[in-house]
Amino acid sequence: MKFIHLTDTHIVGNSRLLYGINPAQRLREAITSIKTENADADFVVITGDLTHWGDDAAYKALAKELERLAVSVILVVGNHDDTPAFRTFFPDAMRDEHGFVQGSLQTDFAKCLFLDTTIPRTDQGMYCEKRQAWLKDELERYNGPILLFMHHPPFSVGIPGMDEIMLEDSNAFYDAIKSHAGRIRHLFFGHVHRPIFGNWRGISFSCMRGTNHQVACDTLNSTKNILGNLEEPAYGIVLLEEDQVTIHMHEYRKRSPEFRLDAPEGGDARSYMFGMRHEGGID
Ligand SMILES: [Fe+2]
């Protein structure tokens, strides 16, 4: 099966710009790409920072854009979101017994658990004891493969400014999942606006670029400033099988020429490359 990992859409209301670009337009382009290039996806998940200011106009604009998707969309909240405003426009969104935006989805190959790591009006993440209890219960009620989705990573990623606002008390979070860690097949997160892949205490993880703006790859920053940039947005195409999770990062706005790499020598590919060289495009 296939699903799409979008993150950090940062929608603003009334067609305003954010860092010089239109987040709703960027999401619209992502949705067009999903509908045309990945129409066989089973669902789309957005791992938080759905909006930039958490205001009604932004959630209204987000709802309007998401209407175009033919598949179900699972919405996770991030530090830029406001849960009461979010619920006004998405009354059917996930909700646990305490009102946190948490829920699960059983697929053919894994149970997906969507976590709420937000603290109101704070950029850092948190996973409190109430939320941990929900997660432990979900993990104990199912003994098959698990996928985790959350906005804040429960670990540092080597970018000091972002590590300052990761999930606080990652050891407590790990304690909540450690007895099931061996069957957590992957952890998807957002927040960092970068393509990041790795492994945390045996659990593989990935983050995608946002659909609007990005965080610069600034691992040497000693001032803990957070530098943004306008690198290409992307979403993740996740292929899920019984024994494998495969993630492709798709820069959906890029319009690169395509050519056959498997053409016989002297065929399409060679003549294309030769042509580019003479135009000064490749050297
Ligand atoms: Fe974000």
Side-chain angles (χ1 to χ4, degrees):
M1 69 173 291
K2 174 195 280 188
F3 67 87
I4 302 298
H5 178 202
L6 276 171
T7 196
D8 291 83
T9 45
H10 283 257
I11 301 297
V12 293
N14 304 315
S15 302
R16 284 176 296 158
L17 302 183
L18 180 64
Y19 306 121
I21 47 181
N22 184 330
Q25 172 64 27
R26 284 292 179 92
L27 175 59
R28 201 171 305 145
E29 291 175 67
I31 290 173
T32 296
S33 165
I34 292 166
K35 287 167 70 73
T36 54
E37 298 178 278
N38 292 289
D40 57 341
D42 292 281
F43 65 91
V44 174
V45 54
I46 309 180
T47 48
D49 283 358
L50 308 169
T51 66
H52 191 66
W53 302 114
D55 57 308
D56 286 357
Y59 287 111
K60 185 178 178 185
L62 174 66
K64 181 168 175 271
E65 298 299 333
L66 295 180
E67 275 178 9
R68 293 179 56 228
L69 276 170
V71 295
S72 61
V73 187
I74 296 135
L75 300 175
V76 175
V77 287
N79 50 298
H80 280 265
D81 288 304
D82 178 87
T83 296
F86 166 71
R87 290 223 181 274
T88 300
F89 291 89
F90 297 93
D92 299 327
M94 304 177 293
R95 181 195 297 263
D96 73 8
E97 63 177 314
H98 299 292
F100 292 109
V101 185
Q102 303 203 114
S104 64
L105 175 71
Q106 183 68 57
T107 73
D108 289 344
F109 300 113
K111 184 177 187 180
C112 300
L113 297 177
F114 306 96
L115 315 186
D116 182 340
T117 58
T118 62
I119 312 170
R121 294 170 294 283
T122 308
D123 285 330
Q124 191 171 21
M126 165 193 260
Y127 207 65
C128 62
E129 289 185 5
K130 286 178 182 172
R131 285 174 270 192
Q132 288 175 28
W134 175 87
L135 177 55
K136 285 178 185 171
D137 185 54
E138 288 285 340
L139 290 168
E140 280 163 14
R141 286 196 287 120
Y142 177 72
N143 61 9
I146 296 286
L147 301 178
L148 294 180
F149 299 80
M150 55 205 295
H151 183 69
H152 296 83
F155 39 75
S156 59
V157 296
I159 297 177
M162 295 306 295
D163 292 342
E164 283 279 293
I165 54 171
M166 59 176 262
L167 192 79
E168 67 176 41
D169 202 353
S170 60
N171 285 331
F173 178 76
Y174 186 73
D175 285 345
I177 62 172
K178 70 179 177 186
S179 59
H180 306 276
R183 58 191 176 88
I184 298 176
R185 296 288 171 83
H186 198 77
L187 187 161
F188 298 83
F189 64 98
H191 195 46
V192 193
H193 293 235
R194 290 206 56 75
I196 302 172
F197 307 89
N199 193 291
W200 175 60
R201 301 181 183 179
I203 301 171
S204 66
F205 63 73
S206 61
C207 178
M208 281 292 134
R209 291 196 186 129
T211 54
N212 192 66
H213 55 282
Q214 316 307 335
V215 169
C217 187
D218 192 17
T219 56
L220 292 177
N221 184 351
S222 59
T223 64
K224 296 184 178 173
N225 293 329
I226 299 174
L227 298 178
N229 67 25
L230 297 178
E231 288 174 345
E232 278 296 311
Y235 62 73
I237 304 164
V238 184
L239 306 177
L240 195 57
E241 300 170 65
E242 192 169 353
D243 61 352
Q244 188 170 335
V245 181
T246 306
I247 303 162
H248 296 264
M249 187 183 84
H250 184 36
E251 295 179 321
Y252 58 88
R253 294 181 74 246
K254 236 174 189 170
R255 293 290 177 266
S256 166
E258 294 180 348
F259 45 88
R260 288 275 304 273
L261 289 171
D262 59 342
E265 189 175 358
D268 288 356
R270 187 181 168 91
S271 57
Y272 172 80
M273 297 295 279
F274 188 73
M276 287 288 285
R277 183 175 294 276
H278 276 259
E279 291 166 13
I282 296 176
D283 223 348

